[in-house]
Amino acid sequence: MKAMIFAAGLGTRLKPITDTMPKALVPVGGEPLLHHVIVKLRAAGYDHLVVNVHHFASQIREYLATHDYGIDIQISDETEELLETGGGIAHAKDLLLPSEEPILIHNVDILSNLDLSWFRSQVRPSALSTLLVSERETSRYLLFGPDMRLMGWTNVATGEVRSPYPLEELSGCRKYAFSGIHNVSPAIFQAFEESGFSGRFPIMDFYIRQCARYPIYGAVAPSLQLVDVGKLDSLEQAEEMVRLL
């Protein structure tokens, strides 16, 4: 099974730590974030991983070259230009294909108790993408219809709504927060081409703009515990999460 770990980000919210190292190598519980994600994926049966790199790329390359996880790990090089999440997936096409199964996409700064086998079981045969979502309190939510099909996005603090659907169709939508973990169909690369998405773009822009055209669903994990290690004040929570896992 194949998975991609997003490790190319600048980690600006973790400064000053990320002034000298990539976010992927920030230590939590004595090991880098990247280590925790790789070990979790390996335990769930993923044996072919792609890690994208940009910020302090050489440090991640050296780390992977000197740590043998017993599975195939390849680098998707974005050192010339940071391509964001959607562009990062598109850029890694040749490393991720062919694949007969959904490809797991996992942010390097997400630590959780998610059962990845359960998450795979939630993928519908027709789904272009299946997003792990939760009832976490935030200002920005994805909007889902009664069958948990994605219909748009909203910022409840500003009232902004983005959706290809008429506003009146969104009134009964359920609001969930995205977790930074999703399963994508191998067909997503063709969908990028069909929709004119190339170069640098966020995957969420693609999902929101194209959700009426392609079936994109959400899955709410029972009893999900998740830490987004995006800010300095989240490191203590991350240490506690690592102790519990």
Side-chain angles (χ1 to χ4, degrees):
M1 294 191 297
K2 297 183 179 182
M4 181 173 184
I5 301 173
F6 285 147
L10 300 177
T12 53
R13 294 181 299 163
L14 282 174
K15 284 178 171 289
I17 299 174
T18 49
D19 286 337
T20 56
M21 69 171 63
K23 177 168 58 176
L25 297 186
V26 170
V28 173
E31 296 285 357
L33 284 168
L34 182 59
H35 167 84
H36 294 295
V37 176
I38 290 174
V39 168
K40 182 177 182 67
L41 269 55
R42 181 184 63 184
Y46 290 92
D47 54 7
H48 178 101
L49 306 185
V50 174
V51 179
N52 70 342
V53 296
H54 174 82
H55 185 57
F56 290 116
S58 61
Q59 292 187 29
I60 298 177
R61 286 182 178 277
E62 182 179 358
Y63 176 82
L64 292 174
T66 54
H67 292 75
D68 183 9
Y69 287 96
I71 56 177
D72 182 29
I73 303 178
Q74 296 179 286
I75 294 289
S76 181
D77 192 341
E78 296 180 27
T79 51
E80 290 188 5
E81 180 185 12
L82 183 60
L83 296 171
E84 298 196 42
T85 49
I89 295 172
H91 185 68
K93 175 181 177 179
D94 291 343
L95 300 176
L96 294 170
L97 294 182
S99 178
E100 297 180 357
E101 300 177 289
I103 300 161
L104 179 71
I105 310 295
H106 199 300
N107 287 2
V108 77
D109 55 2
I110 297 296
L111 299 176
S112 76
N113 67 343
L114 175 66
D115 182 338
L116 290 170
S117 296
W118 171 87
F119 187 42
R120 285 197 303 273
S121 76
Q122 300 305 296
V123 176
R124 309 182 197 197
S126 64
L128 185 73
S129 186
T130 304
L131 317 180
L132 180 71
V133 296
S134 70
E135 296 181 342
R136 174 173 54 88
E137 186 173 343
T138 181
S139 60
R140 295 171 292 181
Y141 292 96
L142 295 175
L143 303 174
F144 294 91
D147 63 347
M148 283 302 290
R149 178 162 174 166
L150 180 66
M151 295 184 69
W153 171 94
T154 185
N155 185 325
V156 295
T158 65
E160 181 185 1
V161 176
R162 295 170 56 198
S163 172
Y165 294 91
L167 286 178
E168 56 268 22
E169 293 188 28
L170 304 177
S171 59
C173 282
R174 286 175 281 182
K175 301 181 180 69
Y176 292 104
F178 180 47
S179 70
I181 303 172
H182 36 144
N183 274 307
V184 302
S185 165
I188 200 166
F189 299 101
Q190 181 179 344
F192 289 157
E193 294 177 9
E194 292 173 347
S195 306
F197 279 77
S198 61
R200 178 177 180 173
F201 65 95
I203 190 61
M204 199 52 65
D205 280 3
F206 170 80
Y207 287 157
I208 294 166
R209 289 170 56 184
Q210 300 298 319
C211 60
R213 182 177 183 182
Y214 300 106
I216 299 165
Y217 295 98
V220 184
S223 305
L224 179 67
Q225 297 178 47
L226 182 147
V227 178
D228 179 349
V229 192
K231 298 180 180 179
L232 291 173
D233 59 9
S234 64
L235 287 173
E236 185 175 341
Q237 292 176 280
E239 294 279 351
E240 181 63 24
M241 173 66 74
V242 168
R243 285 194 291 269
L244 294 174
L245 295 179

